[in-house]
Amino acid sequence: MLIALHGSWHQPAHFADLTSRLTHTGIDVLAPDLDKDSLPDRVAAAQQVVDSCPEPPLVLAHSFGGLVAGSLTGVRHIIHLASYVLDPGETAIDVAVRAIEQTGTPDPLLAVMRPGPDGYTHVDPESAIETFYADCSPEHAKAAAQLLRPERDDIGQWTPTQVNRDVTPSTYVQCEQDRALRPEIQEQFAARCGETLAWPTSHSPYLSRPDLVLDLICRIYPRGASQP
């Protein structure tokens, strides 16, 4: 069993193509909706899916989904796709500020985020295509941008209370052409994982290069769960 965890502004439907490909290989996929108002609630929603699996599953976490994945128990292996791997007490804002101080340039996500009066941030679809889906086909990029939805405006302040890195094997995929999460930040996160891979992709390789993601999952899957 594979559990796919989406990132901020995204939803399970973004995994539809990858899910179809995996199903054809005989790998079942569950993609819980993480549209919850707090990190504990998101972790609880994902943990419920993990606990429903007959055996410890493999987890694929994209972007902010990594913050959820890092707090789960009963998982055999986590694949982090350009995702956040934070320590307790550390926030995404902390990481962004350090990167701004090191590089002298603004956080790239500021170019796409539009704060709203409702306590949520919204993403400009046209900017999102360039930031999240730069190496996707125009058709896939446009479809993915149309699926984006508002996100809580305080997620940058969320921090895990526990992490599973000492007991859960993990693979980090650094996306070298990422325009959403700086590659230098990804290097720091990758150092916290067991294995590191570098792909010449932008932020969403499960959309732009599903072949790479599928091959990686199939390589790890026998170690992460039983074949059906």
Side-chain angles (χ1 to χ4, degrees), residues 11-228:
Q11 59 177 299
H14 281 93
F15 289 119
D17 179 62
L18 181 64
T19 296
S20 177
R21 292 169 185 262
L22 287 167
T23 300
H24 278 95
T25 70
I27 299 176
D28 293 328
V29 182
L30 295 174
D33 194 341
L34 302 179
D35 185 22
K36 310 296 181 183
D37 289 339
S38 70
L39 179 58
D41 286 344
R42 295 188 185 193
V43 172
Q47 188 66 58
Q48 184 177 17
V49 176
V50 170
D51 294 343
S52 72
C53 297
E55 296 184 359
L58 172 64
V59 171
L60 176 72
H62 177 243
S63 196
F64 208 71
L67 191 55
V68 174
S71 296
L72 298 176
T73 60
V75 172
R76 290 286 181 89
H77 197 111
I78 299 173
I79 298 174
H80 289 281
L81 284 183
S83 69
Y84 285 80
V85 183
L86 299 181
D87 288 327
E90 183 181 39
T91 70
I93 290 179
D94 295 334
V95 173
V97 169
R98 289 200 301 267
I100 292 170
E101 292 173 346
Q102 292 169 4
T103 64
T105 58
D107 189 291
L109 286 178
L110 294 177
V112 300
M113 294 169 56
R114 301 289 184 268
D118 54 358
Y120 287 80
T121 57
H122 303 254
V123 174
D124 173 64
E126 291 301 319
S127 299
I129 289 176
E130 182 69 14
T131 303
F132 297 140
Y133 318 119
D135 59 344
C136 293
S137 69
E139 296 79 10
H140 286 158
K142 182 177 180 180
Q146 289 176 341
L147 287 172
L148 294 171
R149 58 188 179 181
E151 176 60 281
R152 294 278 308 184
D153 63 6
D154 62 348
I155 61 169
Q157 303 171 35
W158 294 1
T159 185
T161 58
Q162 63 177 24
V163 294
N164 58 23
R165 294 199 296 274
D166 291 340
V167 296
T168 305
S170 59
T171 298
Y172 197 97
V173 177
Q174 295 179 218
C175 297
E176 297 175 320
Q177 299 173 13
D178 201 324
R179 301 177 186 179
L181 183 59
R182 297 173 188 267
E184 58 267 25
I185 294 178
Q186 293 185 44
E187 289 180 5
Q188 297 174 28
F189 292 156
R192 300 172 178 179
C193 298
E195 176 188 24
T196 301
L197 301 175
W199 291 351
T201 70
S202 64
H203 189 61
S204 306
Y206 65 94
L207 289 170
S208 63
R209 292 296 306 274
D211 55 320
L212 290 178
V213 180
L214 182 61
D215 287 347
L216 176 58
I217 291 171
C218 289
R219 174 171 69 82
I220 295 176
Y221 188 76
R223 302 203 309 262
S226 298
Q227 295 285 2

